[in-house]
Amino acid sequence: MTTTDSTPLPNFIRNIIAEDLKANKNDGRVHTRFPPEPNGYLHIGHAKSVCLNFGLAAENGGLCNLRFDDTNPSKEDIEYVESIKSDVRWLGFDWGDRLFYASDYFEQLYQYAVQLIKLGKAYVCDLSAEEIREYRGTLTEPGKDSPYRTRSVEENLDLFERMRAGEFEDGSRVLRAKIDMASGNLNMRDPVIYRILRATHHRTGDKWCIYPMYDFAHGLSDSIEGITHSICTLEFEDHRPLYDWFLDELKVYHPQQIEFARLNLSYTVLSKRKLIELVEGGYVTGWDDPRMPTISGLRRRGFTPESIRNFCERIGVAKRDSIVDMALLEHCIREDLNERAPRVMGVLRPLRVVIDNYPEDQVEELDAPYHPENPGMGSRKVPFSRVLYIEREDFCEDPPKKFFRLAPGREVRLRYAYYITCVRVVKDEQTGEVLELHCTYDPETRGGWSSDGRKVKGTLHWVSAAHSLEAEVRLYDRLFVKANPSGEKDGPDFKTYLNPKSLETLTSCRVEPSLAGAAPGSRYQFERLGYFCVDSVDSSDSKLVFNRTVSLRDSWAKIAKKEKK
RNA sequence: UGGGGUGUCGUCAAGCGGUAAGACACAGGAUUUUGGAUCCUGCAUUCGGAGGUUCGAAUCCUCCCACCCCAGCCA
């Protein structure tokens, strides 16, 4: 692979860290963290962040923590924390003994809030949610001070303690930071830092009825863990002054927040809200539907962790909004699988071929390497007999220009087998549909070579009818027909651009017998077709199910398309 | 009309005052028992625009334009 072992490409965060290291900031420590909220499944956009945070630590001899930002029990669930842990692990990263939760720090966070009150920098506010919104002002007009802003430290201390004790109703009071209601930055207009919320937390149960807000919990958690570089996405850029404010007011260790642009990928969506909509609306079969850009979906589709890591390195890290071409992700998985996937033969849409001059009961076991360019991968035997299947689209009665597959009177090579010539076409008299082909084979071409130097232009994949196994094959394509489904602000809903052909299920496919008992999750190249993996959910010994990870590049399709125009 | 960001090839993206890396995509060609893979070759006289500073600017200054984010007791 290309970029994995070479010197990492420069990006602005690597530059910052290099400078910090040179200046011996943080005593030369690099300590990052990946901080997901356990309220959904990880997707490829998260993979970018995972690779960034764990990667930056690893390449600088540092550490990266996995920390769940679990400050809102009403949206979070243990199911998500488990899936996130397994996805990060699958991607190839190790947090060692540093699995943390913001909820680990609830008591300490509470004490920090008390300290802020004592400093006169926080107060309990009795305004309702709607009133707080009104008092906040607008983007262009300053807000106005809450009437509770001037409460005494003693009263605030008492009230906050009673908030914790459960004396007040949900939503009746909040703790707010006392900053500046006239700030141009709305985040600084006395932001809420604690709310009353009676919800059972997946880790702390009913111990708490007040929960800290993100801005308060996040930076302080970073501080507690000794994080040096707190990397987050662009939308938190105007939270940075607040991030800094808490740390400065409390005079605690101060990590540096750095923001980068989140990943956008063409022909898909990468927002939790939209992905949930696809799952709950039944547009896909679940979070792990192979069409989903989730880590679990990509895994089930047949992507390798290596290919995803490589992709995340190649897309770079910057601050400008961008949409990465899905073709790059496809390139990354092809590049990886080209090297490691064993080659086998499978026929998706079988067309029966009878070799008229091949002995009725004869069967030959032909040798076929698993990887022509890597003999080390070994070989297997493929049975050849009188009745075969070839791909329907590899035969054309009236071939167009540049078509060099099978046609009446034409000779082609069957991969690793023999040259065959089509001598007769059997068609349905009614419909004209081609039912079967009769061919002759040249016994002198065993293995696919001819001693007389005769050239054939086409090589076809095939299986022996009697020996092949039936399989179901699911052909996946891009989930959306539009590069940027959510591109127009006031345009139609993103779901109107769903690709109706994103899944095509083929049930009468035939694959070579060596695939019997293929392990769930194992990946193969079906020669001339693409990369496929055994479905980890629906495949079994009695019923093989393959998912197409990605097709092979198809220059014939390009030529055919061009000729058509 | 407030605040915070960003604008370099079709798509990503280096570049940090010395004369536009690389990748994907695309287009040619070689090679090939996968129309795959591999290998060559081509692909921004120009960096959102206009001025200015300088021997020299994508890089510095000024003005303008476009796009993104922010008014959750979400993260």
Side-chain angles (χ1 to χ4, degrees):
Chain A
M1 297 229 290
T2 22
T3 47
T4 28
D5 340 288
S6 46
T7 327
L9 293 96
N11 64 51
F12 81 101
I13 300 181
R14 281 192 170 121
N15 295 345
I16 290 172
I17 291 179
E19 280 165 30
D20 289 348
L21 252 20
K22 204 195 287 180
N24 204 239
K25 190 174 169 184
N26 302 306
D27 303 316
R29 264 184 333 114
V30 173
H31 203 331
T32 56
R33 100 269 91 115
F34 172 61
E37 183 190 13
N39 69 345
Y41 281 70
L42 256 32
H43 55 64
I44 185 123
H46 294 108
K48 177 181 181 182
S49 175
V50 170
C51 291
L52 224 203
N53 280 294
F54 280 92
L56 249 14
E59 69 199 44
N60 290 293
L63 298 169
C64 180
N65 300 351
L66 174 59
R67 181 175 75 234
F68 288 96
D69 238 324
D70 54 350
T71 55
N72 186 359
S74 65
K75 289 188 176 173
E76 297 153 8
D77 195 280
I78 190 81
E79 174 196 352
Y80 298 124
V81 347
E82 290 311 320
S83 79
I84 290 168
K85 279 156 68 179
S86 82
D87 285 348
V88 173
R89 226 179 277 126
W90 180 79
L91 279 170
F93 299 100
D94 183 8
W95 54 85
D97 57 356
R98 298 174 315 285
L99 169 62
F100 300 129
Y101 297 80
S103 54
D104 292 340
Y105 314 131
F106 279 173
E107 184 58 42
Q108 189 165 358
L109 259 11
Y110 176 84
Q111 294 304 332
Y112 277 136
V114 167
Q115 208 175 314
L116 228 37
I117 293 172
K118 287 179 178 165
L119 256 16
K121 298 290 186 179
Y123 62 98
V124 172
C125 182
D126 302 357
L127 254 25
S128 69
E130 305 81 76
E131 288 168 326
I132 286 182
R133 194 183 329 118
E134 285 160 22
Y135 275 68
R136 187 156 33 225
T138 69
L139 292 177
T140 51
E141 301 157 53
K144 54 184 185 201
D145 288 0
S146 161
Y148 304 98
R149 202 175 200 261
T150 52
R151 283 222 254 235
S152 69
V153 169
E154 292 66 33
E155 190 183 1
N156 282 319
L157 250 16
D158 174 62
L159 254 14
F160 187 48
E161 198 180 317
R162 290 162 61 196
M163 276 172 64
R164 175 182 185 168
E167 287 188 28
F168 312 121
E169 271 174 49
D170 283 14
S172 61
R173 279 181 233 260
V174 293
L175 182 70
R176 293 227 253 170
K178 192 189 288 187
I179 309 179
D180 177 10
M181 290 305 292
S183 172
N185 182 346
L186 302 209
N187 295 120
M188 300 299 272
R189 321 243 261 227
D190 288 11
V192 171
I193 58 185
Y194 263 94
R195 77 283 214 184
I196 303 172
L197 179 63
R198 266 163 263 254
T200 303
H201 188 281
H202 57 99
R203 297 193 75 244
T204 59
D206 296 319
K207 184 177 178 197
W208 294 87
C209 65
I210 57 171
Y211 291 94
M213 299 289 289
Y214 166 85
D215 287 304
F216 186 71
H218 196 88
L220 287 165
S221 299
D222 284 344
S223 177
I224 291 166
E225 293 178 15
I227 298 304
T228 56
H229 304 268
S230 177
I231 297 162
C232 63
T233 44
L234 249 31
E235 66 271 26
F236 293 103
E237 212 149 14
D238 24 281
H239 292 239
R240 191 176 354 122
L242 184 53
Y243 181 101
D244 292 336
W245 189 89
F246 288 125
L247 268 12
D248 290 340
E249 293 300 332
L250 291 164
K251 296 187 169 59
V252 293
Y253 168 72
H254 195 149
Q256 179 186 5
Q257 176 178 303
I258 302 169
E259 311 85 12
F260 72 97
R262 66 183 334 139
L263 172 67
N264 293 296
L265 237 199
S266 61
Y267 300 100
T268 190
V269 291
L270 291 182
S271 94
K272 265 185 200 172
R273 196 212 95 217
K274 291 187 178 114
L275 293 176
I276 287 171
E277 219 175 311
L278 294 178
V279 172
E280 290 182 347
Y283 298 94
V284 293
T285 58
W287 287 101
D288 68 344
D289 185 301
R291 292 166 292 183
M292 290 284 273
T294 49
I295 302 303
S296 49
L298 292 166
R299 176 168 55 227
R300 190 170 167 193
R301 174 85 167 248
F303 277 75
T304 58
E306 290 83 355
S307 69
I308 293 174
R309 275 188 257 133
N310 188 227
F311 171 77
C312 289
E313 179 58 30
R314 289 202 198 193
I315 56 176
V317 180
K319 295 194 72 160
R320 67 187 86 103
D321 288 311
S322 59
I323 303 178
V324 173
D325 196 338
M326 177 67 91
L328 180 60
L329 216 211
E330 293 173 348
H331 168 80
C332 289
I333 187 58
R334 283 193 186 106
E335 179 182 61
D336 190 17
L337 259 19
N338 174 49
E339 228 168 89
R340 59 207 284 189
R343 272 60 171 166
V344 293
M345 292 194 282
V347 175
L348 265 28
R349 298 173 180 87
L351 173 60
R352 197 176 136 94
V353 173
V354 179
I355 310 295
D356 291 337
N357 61 339
Y358 196 84
E360 196 91 37
D361 299 316
Q362 186 172 313
V363 178
E364 285 177 88
E365 293 287 329
L366 300 167
D367 197 56
Y370 272 123
H371 194 129
E373 281 151 47
N374 180 5
M377 285 179 74
S379 64
R380 81 287 184 188
K381 297 289 184 190
V382 185
F384 184 87
S385 64
R386 183 178 156 93
V387 182
L388 313 170
Y389 288 121
I390 64 165
E391 206 68 61
R392 281 205 99 87
E393 61 172 29
D394 281 341
F395 172 78
C396 185
E397 234 193 324
D398 181 23
K401 250 175 44 188
K402 291 180 183 168
F403 181 90
F404 44 85
R405 277 114 99 142
L406 199 58
R410 245 193 227 179
E411 183 173 55
V412 296
R413 169 169 41 231
L414 293 182
R415 181 140 239 227
Y416 300 128
Y418 292 99
Y419 288 8
I420 59 166
T421 303
C422 177
V423 294
R424 189 157 62 90
V425 181
V426 181
K427 295 204 283 188
D428 183 301
E429 286 179 19
Q430 245 68 49
T431 64
E433 185 198 357
V434 176
L435 297 177
E436 77 176 24
L437 264 28
H438 284 261
C439 297
T440 57
Y441 85 114
D442 178 352
E444 299 303 307
T445 58
R446 194 177 200 264
W449 293 105
S450 102
S451 49
D452 63 5
R454 168 169 35 120
K455 295 261 196 252
V456 288
K457 272 188 284 186
T459 299
L460 311 188
H461 59 278
W462 56 276
V463 293
S464 166
H467 306 271
S468 62
L469 274 23
E470 191 178 78
E472 174 176 319
V473 173
R474 297 168 182 172
L475 301 178
Y476 294 105
D477 201 354
R478 301 170 171 187
L479 230 200
F480 291 88
V481 292
K482 205 165 184 287
N484 186 4
S486 10
E488 305 122 85
K489 268 187 295 263
D490 303 307
D493 182 83
F494 75 102
K495 295 193 296 308
T496 62
Y497 300 114
L498 242 8
N499 179 7
K501 297 188 206 126
S502 62
L503 168 60
E504 186 182 0
T505 304
L506 267 23
T507 51
S508 315
C509 310
R510 310 295 309 193
V511 300
E512 62 169 76
S514 73
L515 254 9
S522 54
R523 308 177 182 92
Y524 299 90
Q525 182 196 100
F526 285 4
E527 292 215 41
R528 302 211 305 133
L529 295 174
Y531 297 98
F532 295 78
C533 92
V534 179
D535 188 77
S536 50
V537 176
D538 299 324
S539 194
S540 65
D541 284 347
S542 55
K543 185 198 175 199
L544 281 169
V545 178
F546 291 92
N547 296 323
R548 183 175 68 190
T549 308
V550 67
S551 67
L552 251 29
R553 291 184 65 208
D554 189 352
S555 51
W556 163 243
K558 271 182 204 167
I559 295 168
K561 202 173 165 188
K562 208 190 287 175
E563 295 289 317
K564 222 173 171 180
K565 275 180 187 170

